[in-house]
Amino acid sequence: MEAITALFFDLGGVVLSNGWDLVARTRAVEKFELDAKEFQHRHEALVDDLESGKLSLDKYLKLAVFYKERSFTNEDFVQFIYAQSKAMPESIALLLQLRNQNKCLLATLNNESRELNDYRIKEFGLKKYFTMFFNSGNVGLRKPEAAMYELALSVTQKDANECIFIDDREFNLELARERNFNTILFTGADQLKAKLATFGVTL
């Protein structure tokens, strides 16, 4: 087995809470008294473009929420979206240990809008842990597109077999494995630490 030199992390569900998932959208429906069916229909029609950077967050909200007059503002809604993000302390602590060891390149490989990703990087100080950020909203590709994984390898100049991709969704890991990435399905920080050790990444 090749020595591991790079770790690629999903963000939502691994390092931070999910950003703009069904749970967060359900909370938004309740708080802002939206028509749940109509909002979900519009979201599904727009989310691919939102997360691949073809649609700004403001334009998404104009089409998904503010297609008619509302009693709240765009800023109210954006701040609500941002407020759904929470750190996962045990994962953050693990990242700090990995960063302090400085043995592996640490990078993100995640799907979310450019604006939400920028907010989360700044709010949670993620530059302290990660050297590179491969976010769908910035690179114009989304997991599990094969090109997303190819881009990460090309930019970092890594071979797939010296990398581990960590995600909480099996579907996102499948194509990574086809490209010869080592993968870990994340279920918790302790489990991740144990799995990393099986690849020779010990803390």
Side-chain angles (χ1 to χ4, degrees), residues 169-188:
R169 298 182 182 182
E170 175 62 30
F171 184 56
N172 287 333
L173 299 173
E174 292 174 5
L175 276 178
R177 281 196 293 271
E178 287 184 11
R179 184 56 187 82
N180 295 323
F181 274 83
N182 300 290
T183 64
I184 296 175
L185 179 63
F186 178 88
T187 60

Side-chain angles (χ1 to χ4, degrees), residues 157-174:
Q157 287 297 292
K158 299 291 184 181
D159 292 327
N161 56 11
E162 62 183 301
C163 302
I164 302 175
F165 175 44
I166 301 150
D167 201 297
D168 63 324
R169 298 182 182 182
E170 175 62 30
F171 184 56
N172 287 333
L173 299 173
E174 292 174 5

